[in-house]
Amino acid sequence: MGADVHEDGNEAGREAGNGAVRAPEFEAPEHGADREFLSLERELTVLLRRARASSGEMAREVHPDLEPAAYGLLVRLEERGEQRATELAAYIGVGKATMSRQLRALEQLGLVAREPDPADGRAWLVHLTDEGRARFRTVRNARRARYVRQLADWDRKEVAELARLLHHLNARAEG
């Protein structure tokens, strides 16, 4: 009659065999929201909570003094190359002061460097140092290996579809 309480602290019944969460029968949809969106909200909440914890662990693996929030900057710089601090701030969704503080900390750790932008002498371009790139890639490769182990029983097409759907969701959030 009651719902199970899972490790994530959410109450929900589990579908047999596939691990999908279904809303308990006694739970009426809130304000007209249907069960699929309530289930989506619940699963994204768990995913985001775990991602925050994982990001903190990965940040510490890159450098013990690296703030978890700054890990995303390393990801962006690795993927896109050198960028202005204003571009990084806009992408991450933080103000100039916060970005400046995070970049200063990354510089002090030897993970990034800033150089004048040749196109605009008033601006600076931020890039990974060789040390920052090496540390970041080591951690990212270990994370990728964990994903491969965790999803070893998934079909590659399922992994690709999950990546496609998450990309679609992220693209919507950016716009």
Side-chain angles (χ1 to χ4, degrees):
M1 179 163 164
D4 294 327
V5 177
H6 299 283
E7 72 175 76
D8 58 22
N10 292 321
E11 293 185 12
R14 291 273 174 198
E15 297 281 336
N18 68 4
V21 173
R22 63 175 169 76
E25 283 73 25
F26 62 86
E27 182 178 334
E30 298 174 25
H31 307 290
D34 52 36
R35 288 181 179 195
E36 292 83 2
F37 286 97
L38 291 172
S39 180
L40 175 63
E41 176 188 27
R42 184 172 31 256
E43 294 304 320
L44 283 175
T45 299
V46 173
L47 178 66
L48 293 172
R49 186 180 309 134
R50 289 180 178 159
R52 275 191 297 274
S54 177
S55 188
E57 292 169 13
M58 290 183 298
R60 284 186 298 278
E61 289 174 27
V62 170
H63 192 285
D65 297 328
L66 182 63
E67 292 182 27
Y71 183 82
L73 295 173
L74 302 179
V75 172
R76 185 69 172 181
L77 290 168
E78 170 69 6
E79 290 176 349
R80 295 290 174 105
E82 63 184 18
Q83 292 189 311
R84 290 183 177 184
T86 53
E87 293 171 316
L88 289 168
Y91 177 76
I92 300 291
V94 298
K96 290 179 185 179
T98 299
M99 181 55 55
S100 180
R101 183 184 59 76
Q102 288 181 344
L103 290 174
R104 240 185 340 271
L106 288 169
E107 277 184 299
Q108 290 171 349
L109 296 175
L111 302 174
V112 302
R114 292 190 243 197
E115 297 178 12
D117 184 345
D120 180 354
R122 300 167 297 167
W124 293 83
L125 292 174
V126 180
H127 62 89
L128 290 173
T129 62
D130 291 341
E131 176 73 12
R133 180 172 286 105
R135 286 173 175 254
F136 172 78
R137 286 181 177 171
T138 298
V139 172
R140 184 175 244 187
N141 289 339
R143 179 181 57 177
R144 190 173 299 127
R146 283 192 299 269
Y147 289 155
V148 168
R149 284 191 306 275
Q150 289 171 340
L151 303 176
D153 60 339
W154 285 36
D155 183 275
R156 288 283 179 140
K157 290 179 184 176
E158 291 175 317
V159 175
E161 180 65 2
L162 176 60
R164 186 190 71 76
L165 291 170
L166 289 171
H167 174 77
H168 189 61
L169 180 64
N170 286 328
R172 289 278 174 112
E174 284 182 30

